Amino acid sequence: MSELSDLYQEVILDHNKNPRNFREIETATQTADGNNPLCGDALRVYVEMEDDLVKDVAFKGSGCAISKASASMMTQVVKGKTREEAEVLFDEFHKMVTGELDAEEDENHLGKLKIFAGVLEFPARVKCASLSWHTLHAALNEEEIVSTE
Ligand code: ZN
């Protein structure tokens, strides 16, 4: 378990320091704002769809290291996926961080996102980790605002 924790910390620190796809998308077809008042995380997710494909996805905003790292990895993983694949990942990620899915035992497509299973040890951080995914889900469904409250 400590091995996973080390990897978890390393990845979080890296993505927090150098968030990927941390920018606006001028040509975004969908955007949504996500807020986690408990922690003060606030971010906007930009999605550019081309037919059924997530052609580009990015985010801006401020928040704790976990929310930022999770958003950063979300954009990396979702880019190039179909809308349906992105929704499957949202569902699996949500189930993993709430303990409904065991990323090691149950079949899933999470890949490197598995490191966020580590937040299960820190219940207050679950909303930080899942905020960007809820916001992506809202953007894909053309809802504009999402709050974890
Ligand atoms: Zn947070």
Side-chain angles (χ1 to χ4, degrees):
M1 202 60 201
S2 78
E3 211 172 286
L4 178 67
S5 300
D6 288 349
L7 175 66
Y8 171 68
Q9 289 206 348
E10 204 175 291
V11 172
I12 300 280
L13 288 175
D14 173 42
H15 280 266
N16 183 45
K17 220 169 163 184
N18 304 301
R20 322 299 200 268
N21 301 303
F22 188 75
R23 57 187 162 83
E24 292 177 26
I25 298 176
E26 302 259 333
T27 49
T29 52
Q30 278 123 291
T31 62
D33 291 308
N35 288 293
N36 176 18
L38 272 181
C39 179
D41 310 316
L43 52 88
R44 174 171 288 177
V45 170
Y46 302 82
V47 181
E48 183 178 356
M49 298 297 292
E50 194 174 70
D51 300 322
D52 212 31
L53 213 67
V54 181
K55 191 181 165 200
D56 200 5
V57 52
F59 78 106
K60 288 281 283 215
S62 60
C64 65
I66 291 174
S67 67
K68 236 162 122 179
S70 177
S72 172
M73 285 181 75
M74 180 276 286
T75 60
Q76 280 191 310
V77 169
V78 163
K79 194 171 169 175
K81 296 275 195 294
T82 65
R83 179 200 166 95
E84 201 185 326
E85 288 168 336
E87 290 282 22
V88 166
L89 283 168
F90 159 70
D91 187 53
E92 290 180 351
F93 188 90
H94 183 67
K95 285 182 173 155
M96 175 181 70
V97 296
T98 53
E100 280 179 65
L101 181 146
D102 185 330
E104 297 302 326
E105 300 286 326
D106 305 331
E107 196 187 323
N108 64 76
H109 310 80
L110 291 164
K112 64 182 177 180
L113 297 171
K114 282 181 194 169
I115 63 131
F116 282 97
V119 299
L120 267 175
E121 292 174 51
F122 310 97
R125 294 303 196 176
V126 168
K127 286 178 175 175
C128 301
S130 58
L131 179 65
S132 59
W133 286 94
H134 281 291
T135 312
L136 170 75
H137 176 67
L140 289 175
N141 290 282
E142 302 193 38
E143 294 159 13
E144 282 166 8
I145 298 172
V146 60
S147 174
T148 56
E149 285 278 274

